[in-house]
Structure formats: structure tokens, C-alpha cells
Amino acid sequence: MRLVFGISGASGMALARMALECYSAIHGLEIHLIISPAAKNVMAEEMGLEPSSLSRYAAATYEPDDFGAPMASGSWPCAGMIVCPCSMASLGAIANGCGTNLLHRAADVMLKERRPLVLSCRETPLNLVHLRNMLAAAEAGAIMAPFIPAFYCGDGSMQGAMRQFCGRMLDLLRIPHNLCERWRDAATKTHVV
């Protein structure tokens, strides 16, 4: 099963790294990674990382100007795409169909092929343009999933909250995993993992 994972230039590189670490350990899940130019800058600022440090989690990594990459075509099958973090600039490009790089094009392909596209937008506070772009993306079929920690997850740490969120993003693509604790099962009143 193939998953396209895009990283754009918003704050939240620790979340992107955790997602890639977790996803790369899932048997049968093949990650295809796109890192935008702005993401490379934020990665260096926030974590002192080079893009190659994340490429090791992927089956393949693509340059943002590689419009010949497989995910630029709807004929290439995959389970869907996650953009985490998703900057407001990438959100605007995706929502309005005016992309300028492979990350935007791959997201556009997901929408036109009716495949799941999860956008983990990272910005606060949100202005009216951001909200309108979120609405436009959602109307086009994207799933808006900003990182909002679940306080019911196990250990109450930021690492635990990020891991829980990584699992929830896979849930949205219906990819099986054991990354997160489930809320109480209604019939048994016990936690389901």
C-alpha cells in the first residue's frame, strides 16, 4: 500500500518526523515523500535537520520540481496523501488549484481522483483567507485535520499526543495500524487498542 507524504513549510517538523518514524514501521506501507523548499528551511530552523534525515523513512523521496514523479499522475495507484505540516501557502495553492510544485500537484491529483487527502494545517490564529481556503479545500474533498492534541491519550505527554494524532491521520485514510489508543468502546466501556 502506497502513501504520499508531503511536508510543507509550516511549523511542526517534530510531528512530521514522528509520523514518518511511525509509518515506516508499518508492514506493507510504502511511503513516498515530498519535501517543499520552504519545509527544508523550517526543518533546519526548528530541528537542525537536513531533508536526508527524513528520507530514510521513505521508499522514495522526490524533489518538489519533479513533475514527472509518479504521484503527478492519476494513473499511479495509492491509498491517499497526507500533508503534515500544511502551510497556509500550500493550503491556498491546493484549495485554489494553482499549485507550483509537486506537493501541490500530488494533492490536486488526490482531489481529482477522489482519493483521501489529509491536510494538517498549522497556523494560529486563523484569518478569513485561511478559513475560506480550508472551506474550499474541504468542499473539493480534502479532509482538514489540524494538529489538536487528544488529552485522553495514555501518558499525557506531547510525544503521546503526537503519536495519537499520527494514528488518527492514518484512520482517515483507512490504513490499519496500532499507533493510538482508542476511546472507550460503547458496548464494553473498555479501551480498544
Side-chain angles (χ1 to χ4, degrees):
M1 182 179 306
R2 294 172 177 150
L3 168 66
V4 180
F5 194 94
I7 304 175
S8 68
S11 180
M13 294 302 153
L15 182 60
R17 181 174 66 182
M18 175 169 278
L20 288 169
E21 285 174 1
C22 291
Y23 299 169
S24 67
I26 296 173
H27 179 70
L29 184 60
E30 186 180 293
I31 300 165
H32 292 261
L33 180 62
I34 307 165
I35 303 172
S36 78
K40 294 174 184 181
N41 295 336
V42 177
M43 206 176 292
E45 283 290 318
E46 284 189 353
M47 304 187 74
L49 292 178
E50 291 292 322
S52 59
S53 67
L54 297 183
S55 295
R56 65 188 174 121
Y57 299 114
T61 303
Y62 305 88
E63 289 299 320
D65 62 352
D66 183 5
F67 287 95
M71 68 282 303
S73 171
S75 66
W76 186 75
C78 67
M81 180 176 183
I82 294 171
V83 182
C84 176
C86 182
S87 68
M88 292 299 106
S90 286
L91 169 66
I94 293 164
N96 294 287
C98 55
T100 58
N101 62 38
L102 178 60
L103 188 150
H104 304 153
R105 171 60 187 165
D108 187 55
V109 167
M110 299 302 141
L111 294 175
K112 80 181 187 69
E113 297 295 325
R114 307 297 192 264
R115 294 182 186 141
L117 171 64
V118 176
L119 302 178
S120 184
C121 297
R122 294 277 302 130
E123 188 64 84
T124 192
L126 297 167
N127 68 36
L128 187 56
V129 173
H130 302 152
L131 294 169
R132 285 183 174 150
N133 283 337
M134 285 183 178
L135 178 61
E139 287 174 338
I143 302 166
M144 308 311 301
F147 173 58
I148 298 173
F151 293 102
Y152 61 84
C153 64
D155 62 6
S157 70
M158 182 55 75
Q159 294 286 25
M162 289 194 305
R163 185 178 172 86
Q164 179 85 6
F165 183 74
C166 291
R168 292 292 293 128
M169 287 193 294
L170 286 187
D171 286 348
L172 295 169
L173 278 73
R174 292 175 173 56
I175 295 174
H177 64 86
N178 292 311
L179 294 175
C180 61
E181 184 175 327
R182 306 299 181 175
W183 186 239
R184 296 178 194 276
D185 180 271
T188 65
K189 300 292 185 194
T190 58
H191 288 288
V192 179
V193 180

